[in-house]
Amino acid sequence: EDAVKARGRDLGEDTAIVGSVKEPSLEEILALNPDFVILSADTAGHGRLHEALAAARVPHAYYRVDAFSDYLELLGQVCQMTGRTDLYKQNGLAVQEQIDAVLAAVEGRTGPSVLLLRAYAAGAKAKGTDNLTGVILRDLGADNLVSRHESLLEEVSLEEVIAADPDFLLITTMGDPDKAMAYMEETFAQNPAWAGLAAVRNGRCVQLPKELFHYKPNTRWGESYAHLAEILYPELSGQFQ
């Protein structure tokens, strides 16, 4: 139901709703008599389905997709199941070529320092390579400050952010983006010290588009790399269009 309510997808009458992302309904799933069930290794509610699906002899597998290589592996398995190797080339290998072109363009450049924040209505956390944006930052040569300030992974301290003074502040949002950014405004942006950060002074505090940096970009993974490369290295702007 998240696809319909949160993302406004028009999925058609032949699509069954089997609960939410975090709490899928076992009863709804079994009622469909599926050939194969794809589950998230990151979601506790999915993990609880294993024994029941195994008992019902429903083939299923758990996947974790943080990096493009994870996506490519999952895509390859599904295309093999369906016999659509053409779609593996179209939606996988062609995207790999886009990413390779971006990586070639940034090769040898000194990457800027970055603090990546994931904001939501009630808080914010710094993120490392445990999510897709952090992986892309690493691949593009950025210096993600959480590698040296691991305490930011537990709690974002304005004092520690000020001391680190990153070149870029990049923000992704989870849940309602307006409420997430309202939290950032009330908690950090209204503090005069926030305005003194180099990233804020230089217009390098950037809210990243949710469809490319929170949701899995899938066939748009190349766009995610290009978008972030053009932020980190402004001299590359327009090169990947």
Side-chain angles (χ1 to χ4, degrees), residues 126 144-153 160 163-164:
N144 191 338
L145 292 180
V146 298
S147 62
R148 297 195 303 279
H149 301 268
E150 292 186 4
S151 58
L152 289 170
L153 294 169
E160 198 165 1

Side-chain angles (χ1 to χ4, degrees), residues 52-85:
L53 290 173
R57 297 185 178 180
V58 175
H60 57 286
Y62 291 86
Y63 297 92
R64 178 171 180 168
V65 178
D66 288 328
F68 176 74
S69 58
D70 301 327
Y71 160 75
L72 199 61
E73 182 178 358
L74 171 57
L75 179 68
Q77 291 182 24
V78 174
C79 288
Q80 186 176 34
M81 292 178 193
T82 60
R84 294 298 304 272
T85 56

